């Protein structure tokens, strides 16, 4: 099976379309898996949700999706995110609203755990920002690998057979060749990358060969920004797209 992982689209239609076009060009992708945050920040929440629903086999709930349909209060959100959620909640059509309400928090597929935030208490929307937090979370999934989104920063964290936890410093890895190791992988963000590379990020995993690799895809950032300006999103949210942070 060749799986494509997309996450944190955040209603950025230009980014989503560019990524789907790139996925179409890859050799035989069997399924697209979406790790959540389809909406929030960008100008096209309904369009993005409808496309993801059509194209993805497995779709997880993100915290922005949850907040946009009132499953989650926004008091933990920063002021920019709050403004974006309020606009999004008002813009969603009924169909998309019930679709978002139906999404699961966590799923297991073959040898993979899939979740937006963390395998530990996924409904609390914790962030993994240190090796200590990663080490803690390795105790809360059974599979060899867990794929997440949420921080918008692509990273491969390894727990090796000596029980050491470290960051794998490459944009590809073979999960089979590192025998006895387990993996906690952030697949990056389609619609709002924050690793100082503004290009959309997604990932491909070949489950038979074990090959995992990120792909970066340029998209029309100015067009996405102009649409955000039109709906009066905060400047900070508009500007960060071109900086990738
Ligand atoms: Zn997000």
């Amino acid at each position: 099976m060749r799986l494509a992982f997309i996450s944190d689209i955040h209603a950025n239609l230009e980014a989503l379309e560019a990524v789907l076009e790139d996925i179409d060009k890859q050799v035989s992708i069997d399924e697209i898996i979406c790790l959540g945050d389809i909406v929030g920040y960008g100008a096209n929440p309904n369009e993005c949700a409808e496309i993801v629903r059509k194209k993805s086999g497995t779709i997880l709930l993100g915290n922005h999706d949850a907040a946009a349909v009132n499953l989650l209060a926004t008091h933990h959100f920063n002021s920019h995110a709050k403004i974006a959620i309020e606009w999004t909640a008002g813009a969603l059509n009924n169909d998309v609203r019930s679709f978002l309400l139906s999404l699961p928090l966590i799923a297991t597929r073959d040898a993979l755990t899939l979740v937006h935030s963390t395998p530990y208490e996924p409904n609390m929307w914790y962030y993994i920002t240190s090796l200590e937090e990663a080490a803690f979370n390795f105790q809360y999934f059974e599979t060899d690998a867990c794929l997440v989104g949420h921080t918008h920063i692509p990273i491969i964290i390894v727990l090796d057979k000596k029980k050491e936890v470290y960051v794998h410093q490459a944009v590809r890895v073979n999960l089979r060749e590192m025998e006895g190791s387990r993996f906690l992988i952030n697949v990056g963000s389609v619609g709002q990358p924050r690793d100082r590379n503004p290009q959309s990020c997604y990932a491909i995993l070949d489950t038979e060969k074990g090959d995992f690799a990120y792909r970066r895809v340029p998209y029309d950032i100015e067009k996405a920004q102009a649409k955000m300006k039109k709906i009066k999103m905060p400047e900070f949210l508009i500007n960060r797209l071109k900086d990738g942070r």
Side-chain angles (χ1 to χ4, degrees), residues 131 134 138 155-161 164-169 178 181-184:
L131 287 181
F138 271 109
I155 190 167
I156 300 167
I157 301 170
V158 184
L159 170 69
D160 68 14
K161 52 184 167 194
E164 268 167 55
V165 178
Y166 63 92
V167 175
H168 178 82
Q169 304 285 0
M178 297 168 72
S181 293
R182 297 174 69 220
F183 302 87
L184 188 50

Side-chain angles (χ1 to χ4, degrees), residues 8 10 37 63-64 116 150 152 194:
D8 297 274
H10 285 292
D37 274 4
N63 54 321
H64 286 254
H116 181 69
H150 203 34
H152 299 205
R194 294 180 190 162

Side-chain angles (χ1 to χ4, degrees), residues 8-29:
D8 297 274
I9 295 140
H10 285 292
N12 186 337
L13 183 61
E14 286 65 36
L16 177 61
E17 284 177 340
V19 162
L20 291 175
E21 216 171 281
D22 194 74
I23 290 174
D24 271 344
K25 285 187 226 150
Q26 306 305 309
V27 210
S28 55
I29 297 294

Side-chain angles (χ1 to χ4, degrees), residues 87-108:
W87 180 86
T88 303
L92 292 183
N93 67 44
N94 286 338
D95 232 30
V96 166
R97 201 171 291 123
S98 38
F99 158 64
L100 294 177
L101 281 166
S102 75
L103 299 177
L105 274 169
I106 189 159
T108 313

Side-chain angles (χ1 to χ4, degrees), residues 197-216:
N197 177 351
Q199 298 190 341
S200 281
C201 183
Y202 78 99
I204 295 175
L205 171 67
D206 186 315
T207 57
E208 270 101 59
K209 293 184 189 147
D211 282 324
F212 174 90
Y214 292 107
R215 287 192 60 81
R216 301 307 288 244

Side-chain angles (χ1 to χ4, degrees), residues 8-18 38-45 48 190-193 198 200 219-221 223-225 227-228 241:
D8 297 274
I9 295 140
H10 285 292
N12 186 337
L13 183 61
E14 286 65 36
L16 177 61
E17 284 177 340
I38 302 167
V39 305
Y41 300 136
N44 294 102
C48 288
V190 169
Q192 196 201 78
S200 281
Y219 74 94
D220 193 341
I221 294 177
K223 191 173 170 190
Q225 288 179 313
K227 286 191 200 168
M228 288 171 79
L241 290 186

